[in-house]
Amino acid sequence: MARSGITGAGIGLRTPHVQQILADENLEIPWLEVLADNWLVEGGLNQHLLMRISERFPLVFHSVGLSLGGGNTLDVDYLNKIKPLKQACGGHWYSEHASFSGNNDFKVADLLPLPYTDEAVMHISNRIKQTQDLLGERILLENVSTYMSCKHNELSEGEFIAAIAEEADCYLLLDINNAFVTSVNLDQQLQAFLNAVPARRVKQIHLAGFHQKDDYLLDAHNHPVDPQVWQAYQDYIQLYGNIPTMIEWDSEIPTLGRLLQERQIAADMMQFNAKPAAGVDRCA
């Protein structure tokens, strides 16, 4: 079982790359992020392959199906599938999104943003506390990309994320691409969001590529990281240190070699920066 800590730049584990990762004994990747939703069927070949990967590489767990901000009862059955799988793989932490995917009457595949209100802060914070109690550890909360603003907003997105983190006492997964997409779509200042997020709670960073539509950006994870996102990332780690960073690429998935080239850009920026992350025990 891999026991080393999570540092440096990793990639998301995607099914087309699994066999190549296992076959290449010389492959060096500091860590991999597992999208738990793809590995929850008990037994079978998939979980066997995941166990083999966990023997060579440190893993962290991420999911999209919990609907932390939803109005329905928290999906304990879902968490009860993730918890033993994460434990069996020696997963270092688990992350989900500051969003909802429906309620008792409907369910969608998208990550829908919550209204940035004090009521919503308390609602999702209570559900994060439930999740943390069930898992027996603090989780990481990720900001999502948005395409319209809610007229009921009382806080900025950064203030909303900060308030949840304090109320729930959770860590944060800062998705700089999501933040950039939102800033362009809503004509907001990216830096204002980054300044509002409590850096001492940021334990992981996501980077990805977006798709340029006619009059907005789509968070499609189907392109290399945009130069403007790279610049924002470089500025962030120069200010706050080398926080574990992962490249997401979920559509039009490239070869493993191309994905690792993208990872290397983040690794090179970290090496050039050479400033350790400060603040909370991010590598615990």
Side-chain angles (χ1 to χ4, degrees), residues 202-216:
V202 177
K203 197 163 182 171
Q204 183 185 341
I205 291 174
H206 270 176
L207 299 172
F210 55 76
H211 188 73
Q212 176 72 59
K213 306 293 280 189
D214 289 340
D215 57 353
Y216 69 98

Side-chain angles (χ1 to χ4, degrees), residues 17-149:
H17 302 149
V18 168
Q19 294 292 355
Q20 186 177 355
I21 289 173
L22 288 172
D24 188 348
E25 296 180 352
N26 297 317
L27 186 61
E28 295 185 0
I29 307 173
W31 56 279
L32 298 162
E33 183 186 85
V34 175
L35 185 58
D37 307 74
N38 294 338
W39 305 88
L40 293 181
V41 176
E42 292 185 17
L45 178 61
N46 273 0
Q47 287 202 359
H48 170 71
L49 295 175
L50 185 60
M51 291 302 118
R52 289 182 57 195
I53 287 176
S54 73
E55 293 171 355
R56 288 182 50 198
F57 301 98
L59 303 178
V60 302
F61 274 64
H62 184 61
S63 77
V64 296
L66 185 56
S67 190
L68 263 175
N72 54 331
T73 304
L74 187 69
D75 194 343
V76 172
D77 291 340
Y78 180 76
L79 290 171
N80 279 335
K81 294 178 182 177
I82 291 176
K83 183 176 181 178
L85 181 64
K86 173 180 171 293
Q87 289 176 334
C89 293
H92 285 255
W93 59 66
Y94 167 69
S95 58
E96 250 287 357
H97 299 82
S99 65
F100 73 107
S101 302
N103 57 27
N104 292 325
D105 300 321
F106 75 98
K107 188 173 180 63
V108 297
D110 294 320
L111 301 170
L112 304 175
L114 293 159
Y116 304 147
T117 65
D118 291 333
E119 181 181 10
V121 167
M122 296 307 299
H123 173 68
I124 190 171
S125 295
N126 287 334
R127 290 164 66 88
I128 291 171
K129 291 175 184 176
Q130 284 182 263
T131 301
Q132 293 181 149
D133 287 344
L134 192 150
L135 296 180
E137 63 187 41
R138 284 192 283 179
I139 70 169
L140 283 65
L141 183 70
E142 179 180 356
N143 58 294
V144 296
S145 54
T146 56
Y147 303 89
M148 62 183 70
S149 59

Side-chain angles (χ1 to χ4, degrees), residues 238-256:
Q238 284 179 348
L239 189 60
Y240 296 111
N242 289 336
I243 299 167
T245 300
M246 171 250 174
I247 305 296
E248 286 187 302
W249 202 320
D250 298 301
S251 300
E252 303 173 37
I253 296 176
T255 64
L256 179 61

Side-chain angles (χ1 to χ4, degrees), residues 11 17 20 222-226 230 247 249 252-265:
I11 60 172
H17 302 149
Q20 186 177 355
N222 64 341
H223 284 96
V225 178
D226 186 86
W230 278 126
I247 305 296
W249 202 320
E252 303 173 37
I253 296 176
T255 64
L256 179 61
R258 177 66 188 89
L259 180 58
L260 292 176
Q261 288 177 357
E262 200 75 354
R263 188 209 72 83
Q264 191 60 48
I265 298 173

